Amino acid sequence: MGTPLGDFVRGKRDSIRPQDLGLPEHERRRAPGLRRSELATRAGVSVEYLTRIEQGRDRNPSPSVVNALADALGLDIAERAHLGYLAKISGEACAGHVRATPPERSVRPAVRQVLTLLEPGVAFVTNRLGDVLSHTDSFGTVMRDTGLLDAEEPNLTRYVFTHPQARTTFVDWDQIADEQVFNLWLGPSNDTFEWFTADFATTAGPEFTRRLHRHLPPARVPLRMTHPRGHHLRWNREVLELPASDAQQVILLLPADDATTTALNRLLEHSGRTALRAL
C-alpha cells in the first residue's frame, strides 16, 4: 500500500523532463520523467531505499533524506513545504492511528471583527477542509445565488464535487477541484483529513477519489466565475493564514479587472449594500 509521501515523490519524478537537469534527451526511456536510479543518485540514496519510500514500505525517512529528495527534485518553496508535511503525516501513521475527529468550527471574535473591517470587501474564513465558517456580507451577496451558502454548514469542497451549479459557477472547475483536494492534505491534521474523506469519498465519486493520489501543488491562477445573474467575475485571491491553533484562513477575493469591479458594485447596489471603490 502506498503513502501520500511515496505518491508525491513518484509523481514529481515522473513530471520532470530529464533534459531540464542536463541529462541526455536522445536516450530511449520506457516512461516519462526521471528514472528511479537517476533520482537516487542525485539524492545520494540507494535505489532500493528510494523504491521503499515510493512504494510506502518506508514511512519515516529522516529530515536529511527528505531535504535531499527536495533538492534532487528541484522543488520550489511550496512543494518543499508539502513534501515535509507528507513526511510528517506518514511518520504519524507509522507511529499509530489516531481516532478521526471533526475540526473545530468556531471563529474567534477578533477574526469576526476583522471581517467587519473588511466590508464591503469579499472575504470569508475557511479551513483546509473547505468549511465556510464566517464571511463578509459582500461575500454572501456574491455567493448567495450560486447555492454555496444554502447548506446549514456550507463547505466549498462539498459544493465543488456535489452541487449541480458548481460546474457552471466555476469556469475552471477542474482547477478548483484540484485545489480543494490538495488543500485537504495540508491540515488541520491527518485525522481530520481521514474524518472528512472517509464519508465524502463515497458521495463525491471518482472525480474526487482520483485526485486524492495527486500531491503536486496546483498552479495558482485567478478565480473565474459565472454568476447566475449573468456577470463574468474574475478574482485574485489573497490568503491570510491565522495562527496554527486556529487552523483557519481568511481568504479575500479581489476584483482582477474593471469589469469584475463594475459587476460587483451592481450586485452590492442591488442588495442595498455599499459599493466597493476601485483602487
Side-chain angles (χ1 to χ4, degrees):
M1 181 178 178
T3 62
L5 174 65
D7 291 343
F8 177 92
V9 172
R10 185 173 59 254
K12 187 64 179 178
R13 176 169 63 80
D14 289 344
S15 73
I16 293 174
R17 299 192 310 167
Q19 57 266 35
D20 291 342
L21 300 179
L23 298 173
E25 296 184 50
H26 58 272
E27 288 188 2
R28 175 173 293 182
R29 293 174 179 267
R30 290 183 296 178
L34 287 182
R35 297 188 181 100
R36 193 174 279 156
S37 59
E38 291 169 337
L39 177 58
T41 299
R42 288 176 58 83
V45 299
S46 69
V47 175
E48 292 75 15
Y49 184 49
L50 178 59
T51 301
R52 292 202 303 273
I53 291 176
E54 290 191 350
Q55 294 178 350
R57 292 185 287 121
D58 190 307
R59 296 170 177 244
N60 197 25
S62 68
S64 61
V65 169
V66 173
N67 287 331
L69 287 172
D71 292 339
L73 290 167
L75 303 187
D76 61 26
I77 294 175
E79 291 172 328
R80 290 181 78 100
H82 187 55
L83 179 66
Y85 175 75
L86 295 180
K88 177 177 179 291
I89 65 172
S90 293
E92 289 174 352
C94 188
H97 180 73
V98 179
R99 187 173 68 87
T101 56
E104 176 61 52
R105 293 186 58 87
S106 62
V107 177
R108 289 187 290 113
V111 178
R112 293 183 183 275
Q113 186 177 4
V114 168
L115 288 180
T116 301
L117 295 173
L118 289 173
E119 293 283 7
V122 182
F124 65 106
V125 179
T126 185
N127 54 30
R128 296 291 188 175
L129 302 186
D131 292 317
V132 180
L133 303 172
S134 188
H135 57 79
T136 62
D137 290 341
S138 297
F139 179 85
T141 297
V142 171
M143 296 296 181
R144 186 166 294 116
D145 293 335
T146 68
L148 171 63
L149 301 179
D150 291 352
E152 183 176 347
E153 294 184 343
N155 179 282
L156 183 56
T157 306
R158 293 183 185 277
Y159 174 81
V160 167
F161 286 98
T162 65
H163 198 284
Q165 283 184 251
R167 289 179 182 266
T168 303
T169 299
F170 296 121
V171 177
D172 305 304
W173 183 89
D174 282 297
Q175 166 75 21
I176 303 304
D178 289 346
E179 291 177 4
Q180 292 306 120
V181 176
F182 180 79
N183 278 338
L184 295 177
W185 288 110
L186 301 181
S189 65
N190 191 38
D191 58 312
T192 56
F193 167 84
E194 292 181 0
W195 171 84
F196 185 88
T197 57
D199 168 67
F200 187 57
T202 302
T203 304
E207 283 284 16
F208 176 77
T209 54
R210 69 183 177 86
R211 287 178 163 86
L212 287 175
H213 304 290
R214 299 177 184 174
H215 299 287
L216 302 183
R220 283 296 177 183
V221 298
L223 171 65
R224 296 194 298 164
M225 294 175 55
T226 300
H227 194 272
R229 296 187 182 182
H231 300 299
H232 298 286
L233 308 173
R234 187 168 174 267
W235 309 97
N236 290 322
R237 290 169 285 177
E238 193 68 35
V239 180
L240 307 179
E241 297 284 353
L242 297 178
S245 58
D246 291 343
Q248 295 169 1
Q249 304 167 310
V250 177
I251 299 182
L252 294 89
L253 302 184
L254 307 173
D257 51 41
D258 292 340
T260 300
T261 299
T262 300
L264 172 59
N265 285 335
R266 287 176 180 169
L267 291 172
L268 296 179
E269 290 166 0
H270 186 268
S271 67
R273 305 192 187 284
T274 303
L276 184 73
R277 290 181 299 169
L279 299 178

